[in-house]
């Protein structure tokens, strides 16, 4: 056996010894080896980077609606069903799985499509972060209704989880007009502390069969990827307003009938006085 052949086994051994020495030196200095797993930096034995630093490793949280204030408690109805309330307009809020979780809070209201669209909902806001206005008027997200696919895609929130497929909501003719309001940096609490987070009211009732959902945006998308991650509302936790407005606006036909009735009563009264 030649001398070159005999020397080959020593190279892997030397490499292993050098790697072991480096690892021991790193541990002795209080450091931890790191590796990239494709989803974010992992430290040590698979511990997410954020958890090693005392933060949440998961950058997004699933959101859940709840009823508050004078609105009777509403209950998450479970998989493939929404959280209903018959109070219209409702008082409500959102909590985050794994909360408290902070981020840019965006509220979205889905109303059955009308032409022209309904009046943009105005939200009253309490218990929000300092500097948040006491009320804000929503804006129509798109000049066309949401009729298919995912709400996340329709709004341009590609990274949102869950994505909220339209079949998770009640089927209505023409789809949904979607109104949004960006409330800036807010903190959503855990389920147990939900009412300590921001709470919302509506200055006017929404059309029957409307929904309220939320998105919580955080940056970066992950610890080694740029972009924005969006935590979205669980399908079963979307607030479903399954009630007619408490102060309904009369339809034009009803107003005409009322006017005719008043005119007839007035004429009858005048004839009676003449008699």
């Amino acid at each position: 056996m030649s001398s070159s052949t005999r020397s080959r086994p020593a190279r892997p051994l030397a490499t292993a010894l050098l790697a072991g020495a480096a690892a021991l030196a790193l541990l002795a200095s209080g450091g931890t080896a790191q590796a990239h797993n494709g989803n974010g930096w992992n430290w040590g034995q698979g511990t997410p980077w954020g958890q090693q630093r005392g933060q949440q490793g998961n950058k997004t949280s699933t959101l859940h609606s709840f009823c508050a204030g004078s609105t009777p408690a509403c209950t998450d109805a479970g998989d493939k069903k929404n959280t209903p309330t018959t109070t219209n307009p409702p008082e409500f809020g959102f909590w985050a799985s794994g909360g408290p979780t902070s981020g840019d809070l965006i509220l979205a209201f889905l109303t059955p499509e009308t032409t022209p669209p309904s009046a943009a909902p105005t939200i009253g806001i309490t218990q929000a972060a300092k500097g948040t206005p006491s009320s804000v008027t929503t804006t129509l997200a798109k000049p066309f209704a949401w009729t298919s696919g995912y709400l996340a895609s329709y709004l341009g929130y590609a990274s949102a989880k869950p994505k909220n497929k339209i079949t998770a909501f009640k089927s209505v003719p023409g789809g949904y007009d979607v109104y949004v309001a960006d409330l800036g940096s807010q903190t959503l609490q855990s389920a147990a502390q939900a009412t300590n987070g921001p709470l919302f009211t509506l200055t006017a009732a929404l059309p029957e069969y409307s929904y309220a959902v939320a998105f919580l945006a955080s940056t970066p998308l992950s610890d080694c990827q740029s972009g924005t991650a969006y935590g979205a509302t669980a399908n079963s936790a979307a607030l479903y307003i399954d009630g007619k407005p408490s102060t309904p606006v009369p339809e034009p036909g009803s107003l005409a009938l009322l006017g005719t009735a008043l005119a007839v009563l007035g004429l009858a009264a005048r004839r009676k006085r003449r008699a």
Side-chain angles (χ1 to χ4, degrees):
M1 185 179 293
S2 67
S3 59
S4 61
T5 302
R6 287 194 301 271
S7 65
R8 287 176 185 168
R11 290 180 182 175
L13 179 60
T15 302
L17 288 173
L18 286 172
L24 288 173
L26 182 62
L27 291 172
S29 65
T32 309
Q34 57 177 305
H36 190 278
N37 69 355
N39 296 317
W41 285 100
N42 276 2
W43 294 74
Q45 300 299 315
T47 304
W49 176 86
Q51 292 179 13
Q52 184 70 19
R53 297 179 57 185
Q55 305 169 357
Q56 291 185 355
N58 184 2
K59 287 292 182 180
T60 62
S61 297
T62 302
L63 312 183
H64 307 259
S65 69
F66 65 92
C67 294
S70 60
T71 300
C74 50
T75 304
D76 186 325
D79 188 34
K80 297 183 179 179
K81 295 181 180 179
N82 310 120
T83 298
T85 177
T86 56
T87 302
N88 190 8
E91 295 182 66
F92 63 99
F94 291 88
W95 59 270
S97 58
T101 305
S102 299
D104 187 13
L105 182 62
I106 301 165
L107 297 186
F109 297 89
L110 284 55
T111 66
E113 188 272 341
T114 59
T115 304
S118 304
T122 298
I123 314 164
I125 307 165
T126 60
Q127 295 184 190
K130 186 177 180 180
T132 303
S134 59
S135 67
V136 61
T137 300
T138 60
T139 58
L140 189 63
K142 301 278 187 181
F144 52 89
W146 176 43
T147 58
S148 63
Y150 296 94
L151 181 60
S153 301
Y154 174 83
L155 293 175
Y157 305 154
S159 63
K161 294 181 181 179
K163 295 185 179 297
N164 301 132
K165 196 170 184 178
I166 197 167
T167 51
F169 303 93
K170 181 180 178 65
S171 177
V172 293
Y176 286 96
D177 292 324
V178 182
Y179 298 86
V180 296
D182 190 334
L183 304 186
S185 181
Q186 305 290 337
T187 299
L188 298 185
Q189 302 295 324
S190 64
Q193 301 294 323
T195 55
N196 292 330
L199 300 177
F200 311 106
T201 59
L202 294 169
T203 60
L206 291 176
E208 191 177 9
Y209 311 132
S210 294
Y211 290 88
V213 299
F215 297 86
L216 193 66
S218 61
T219 304
L221 184 62
S222 70
D223 297 302
C224 59
Q225 291 179 288
S226 62
T228 301
Y230 291 87
T233 306
N235 291 334
S236 62
L239 185 63
Y240 173 43
I241 301 170
D242 186 22
K244 294 182 179 180
S246 55
T247 54
V249 178
E251 297 178 359
S254 300
L255 289 174
L257 288 173
L258 178 61
T260 301
L262 291 174
V264 170
L265 289 173
L267 180 60
R270 285 197 299 272
R271 288 178 175 176
K272 185 176 182 179
R273 284 197 300 270
R274 289 174 183 173

